[in-house]
Amino acid sequence: MNSKLCCVLLAVSTTIVLILVWVFPSGGEKPLACKKQHLEVSSKEMDNEARRLIFDDLSPAEMIQVKNYLKQNLGVPLVDAPEAKPSDNCIYSIVLQLPPKAEVLKFLDHQGTRPTRQALAVVYFGNQKDPNVTEYVMGPLPEPRYHQDVTVQKYGGKLPYYRRVQLRTEMDDVNNFLKKEQYTKAPNFINNVMDYNGTTVVPRGYPPGLKSGDRKIWLSYFQNVPGYILHPIGLEVQVDVSGLHISQWKIIKVFYNGQYFENLEDLESQFNQGHVKVVKVKKAPSDGGYSSLKQRVPHIGPGPLYYEPRGPRYHIRNNHVVFMSWSFAFGMDAYGAPRVFDIRFKGERIVYELSLQEGASTYGSNTPALMQTRYMDLSYGLGYHAFPLIPGTDCPHLATYLDRHYFFDSALPLTRKNSICIFEQNSEMPLRRHFDRAEKPYYGGLVDSVLVFRSISSTDNYDYVWDFMFHQNGAVGFRVYASGYIQTAFYFDDASEFGNLVEERTLGAIHTHSVNLKVDMDVGGKCLSTL
């Protein structure tokens, strides 16, 4: 190689090395502006973190301890919920029993005694002379030594057995009862109208009854494809399941395309005589067709992505979050889903508790099943139905994902992986701004960055996105989005008065959603009263 060229290359290389050393004097370390931000949490805040564990959800180990204690101390045989019949005793749920607010504040603010950690269990007693639902408080955790029946204290009397929430096994039993004992009573109708082969249709049950004591369930039939809820076929049956034994169950009413029948035998008889107005729906493709969740248009490149230039500006430890001037404790109740406690701004408590209390929906239709449907979604377990969140769709990729644990209609604790996400986002709206067209124009503005605490409950056809938001100006926000599938019914006669035609023979039924929150504000002290 030419010696002159070698000298030139050596000189260039030396120059580059000198430049790199000058720019990165710390041996190649990134500039300060790119360093990950390490949040400094004060010793006082760390003490608050430890104290706020009183709001922390039960651990799987605590749930197991409670289950074992009940099995050893109630004095009756207990069957695991997934195996239980209505005539059995079983534990339906085990959740955290929140301590009284007065005890908590004495502990948090005045160095008082730590409140006893306790659990609340709901037990179904079907195998008794007087079947009932009983609620017990047990403690102290993690090794309970006592239990107290709090049913009368909470409800003013015993809870009769008909008020119990259905076990998942009960709906399985209803389906098996219909398959094995009822469908054979209308073979021509079932085969010729429903095209039933054992798997082609699926029944959907609705809340049992309208008045106290009812255990009468209406079931609607749909084509068994993805998004089945958008494919009604027009048949509905009402089953009386008030008996504790399947042998006591019976169909008490049948409805098809605007006509009522006493039972399936009556429907079959009327069908064979040509007295039934038959409308056969178009068979749906195996993927559901219009109800499929498959993407219908191709991606056009990736969209904008969430970015943290110095890492997260929030700190999470156990059930405690610190963000800028905010701090709070959080939990996920199996029934009521997300909730936050001891919300403080600049060290001052402004909200003691902010929690979801109920998500209800009321429907209207000209079909019997849907015209009387009133959902109280807490009974289905909004927290229990919070499933894993998908990064990039449900939450940003860089969000922090947390697991939750539940004992709810189960034999053992169940873990919902990544069912909570926490992240900071730019609200894309200035917190404040002003541009002045003076002789020397000037501008001033502040970015509104928000911390979001999110979970999503999928209760059968609906998906509810729950967001608790913490703004830098001291505002706390709550919002809910509804997604998933709409509730539908078979479209016939005057159905247009009860909703909209969303597909051939499919009525998108009119309905109303209501969400109730508990907001216990402590702005300026716990004696705050607002109207």
Side-chain angles (χ1 to χ4, degrees):
M1 182 182 290
N2 189 301
S3 59
K4 185 176 181 180
L5 178 60
C6 290
C7 291
V8 171
L9 291 175
L10 181 60
V12 171
S13 300
T14 303
T15 303
I16 292 174
V17 170
L18 290 173
I19 292 174
L20 290 174
V21 171
W22 178 71
V23 174
F24 303 113
S26 57
E29 184 178 302
K30 291 182 179 180
L32 180 62
C34 296
K35 283 184 180 179
K36 183 174 181 179
Q37 178 169 304
H38 296 283
L39 293 177
E40 295 295 333
V41 181
S42 67
S43 58
K44 180 179 179 181
E45 198 59 61
M46 290 178 68
D47 180 61
N48 286 335
E49 288 178 1
R51 289 176 171 273
R52 286 168 178 166
L53 285 172
I54 58 175
F55 300 115
D56 199 15
D57 299 326
L58 297 182
S59 68
E62 289 175 317
M63 296 173 187
I64 291 295
Q65 289 279 39
V66 170
K67 175 188 174 180
N68 292 339
Y69 173 87
L70 290 172
K71 295 188 76 170
Q72 295 167 10
N73 291 275
L74 289 186
V76 297
L78 290 173
V79 178
D80 287 338
E83 308 297 328
K85 302 296 182 184
S87 56
D88 290 325
N89 307 320
C90 72
I91 302 171
Y92 181 66
S93 66
I94 300 173
V95 299
L96 174 70
Q97 171 70 11
L98 290 169
K101 180 180 178 180
E103 292 183 19
V104 173
L105 293 184
K106 188 175 181 180
F107 170 67
L108 291 179
D109 300 343
H110 305 291
Q111 305 299 312
T113 304
R114 175 182 288 271
T116 302
R117 187 164 171 82
Q118 301 180 114
L120 175 69
V122 176
V123 182
Y124 291 177
F125 289 106
N127 187 13
Q128 283 194 0
K129 184 178 179 180
D130 180 23
N132 65 87
V133 179
T134 302
E135 296 192 7
Y136 293 103
V137 169
M138 286 144 296
L141 299 180
E143 297 180 358
R145 296 190 298 272
Y146 63 81
H147 64 281
Q148 178 187 0
D149 184 344
V150 295
T151 312
V152 175
Q153 176 185 336
K154 288 182 66 174
Y155 302 102
K158 287 188 175 182
L159 288 179
Y161 202 50
Y162 60 75
R163 290 191 185 178
R164 73 191 186 280
V165 177
Q166 284 179 308
L167 298 171
R168 285 191 297 277
T169 55
E170 286 189 71
M171 282 310 303
D172 293 338
D173 289 339
V174 171
N175 291 338
N176 290 330
F177 162 74
L178 293 169
K179 274 186 178 182
K180 296 177 180 178
E181 301 184 26
Q182 298 298 315
Y183 294 164
T184 55
K185 297 177 180 180
N188 288 333
F189 179 86
I190 295 293
N191 293 329
N192 295 311
V193 177
M194 296 173 60
D195 291 326
Y196 180 68
N197 68 1
T199 61
T200 48
V201 299
V202 57
R204 172 189 172 92
Y206 295 91
L210 285 177
K211 65 178 185 293
S212 182
D214 271 359
R215 298 293 290 188
K216 300 171 183 177
I217 303 172
W218 274 103
L219 298 100
S220 295
Y221 284 81
F222 300 84
Q223 296 189 62
N224 190 15
V225 294
Y228 74 91
I229 195 68
L230 300 186
H231 297 276
I233 61 177
L235 177 67
E236 300 181 354
V237 300
Q238 189 180 30
V239 184
D240 185 341
V241 295
S242 55
L244 297 186
H245 300 279
I246 296 177
S247 60
Q248 299 170 323
W249 295 357
K250 60 182 178 180
I251 289 180
I252 56 177
K253 193 68 68 177
V254 174
F255 177 86
Y256 175 73
N257 192 25
Q259 294 177 273
Y260 284 93
F261 307 91
E262 292 303 313
N263 46 45
L264 285 178
E265 294 101 318
D266 184 27
L267 172 62
E268 178 77 355
S269 175
Q270 298 289 338
F271 175 74
N272 291 336
Q273 296 176 55
H275 297 159
V276 177
K277 297 179 293 184
V278 174
V279 176
K280 289 196 66 172
V281 298
K282 187 186 302 181
K283 186 176 181 180
S286 59
D287 68 352
Y290 60 80
S291 66
S292 170
L293 292 180
K294 291 181 179 178
Q295 189 165 320
R296 288 166 169 73
V297 294
H299 281 294
I300 308 177
L305 293 176
Y306 170 69
Y307 173 58
E308 296 172 334
R310 298 189 188 180
R313 298 197 294 176
Y314 56 86
H315 167 82
I316 303 173
R317 184 175 179 182
N318 298 317
N319 68 323
H320 183 242
V321 180
V322 176
F323 168 68
M324 310 292 279
S325 298
W326 290 103
S327 67
F328 61 89
F330 66 86
M332 280 281 283
D333 181 62
Y335 291 92
R339 54 190 185 183
V340 289
F341 300 94
D342 198 23
I343 302 174
R344 302 189 187 201
F345 185 72
K346 295 184 177 180
E348 178 184 352
R349 180 183 301 112
I350 61 173
V351 177
Y352 176 77
E353 179 182 352
L354 176 58
S355 58
L356 182 66
Q357 298 293 302
E358 185 57 89
S361 51
T362 305
Y363 284 84
S365 174
N366 59 345
T367 63
L370 211 51
M371 72 169 61
Q372 59 180 304
T373 294
R374 311 288 186 269
Y375 285 120
M376 306 292 282
D377 286 335
L378 253 71
S379 64
Y380 294 94
L382 289 172
Y384 174 79
H385 285 95
F387 295 98
L389 301 168
I390 307 304
T393 301
D394 296 328
C395 305
H397 285 284
L398 293 180
T400 300
Y401 293 83
L402 304 171
D403 304 339
R404 291 290 97 179
H405 313 284
Y406 306 102
F407 193 107
F408 189 87
D409 197 357
S410 59
L412 295 170
L414 182 145
T415 298
R416 299 291 194 205
K417 302 287 290 184
N418 300 334
S419 54
I420 291 175
C421 71
I422 298 175
F423 58 93
E424 182 184 354
Q425 69 175 172
N426 189 312
S427 68
E428 307 303 335
M429 180 66 68
L431 187 62
R432 67 164 175 80
R433 59 95 63 202
H434 179 67
F435 180 84
D436 197 293
R437 297 175 59 191
E439 182 177 345
K440 294 183 178 180
Y442 60 89
Y443 167 83
L446 287 177
V447 174
D448 185 19
S449 192
V450 182
L451 187 76
V452 180
F453 170 70
R454 173 177 294 173
S455 64
I456 302 178
S457 302
S458 299
T459 57
D460 207 355
N461 60 301
Y462 277 119
D463 294 71
Y464 294 104
V465 182
W466 315 108
D467 279 356
F468 293 86
M469 301 170 295
F470 301 88
H471 298 260
Q472 292 191 46
N473 64 350
V476 181
F478 172 83
R479 65 188 175 193
V480 56
Y481 300 99
S483 188
Y485 289 104
I486 60 173
Q487 185 92 57
T488 71
F490 189 70
Y491 193 100
F492 74 96
D493 293 350
D494 61 346
S496 60
E497 296 184 14
F498 300 92
N500 297 292
L501 180 67
V502 296
E503 187 57 47
E504 185 180 5
R505 293 292 173 179
T506 301
L507 170 71
I510 187 171
H511 62 282
T512 301
H513 289 278
S514 301
V515 174
N516 296 84
L517 295 173
K518 176 181 179 180
V519 185
D520 185 352
M521 297 182 67
D522 276 2
V523 177
K526 64 181 182 180
C527 296
L528 174 70
S529 177
T530 59
L531 295 178

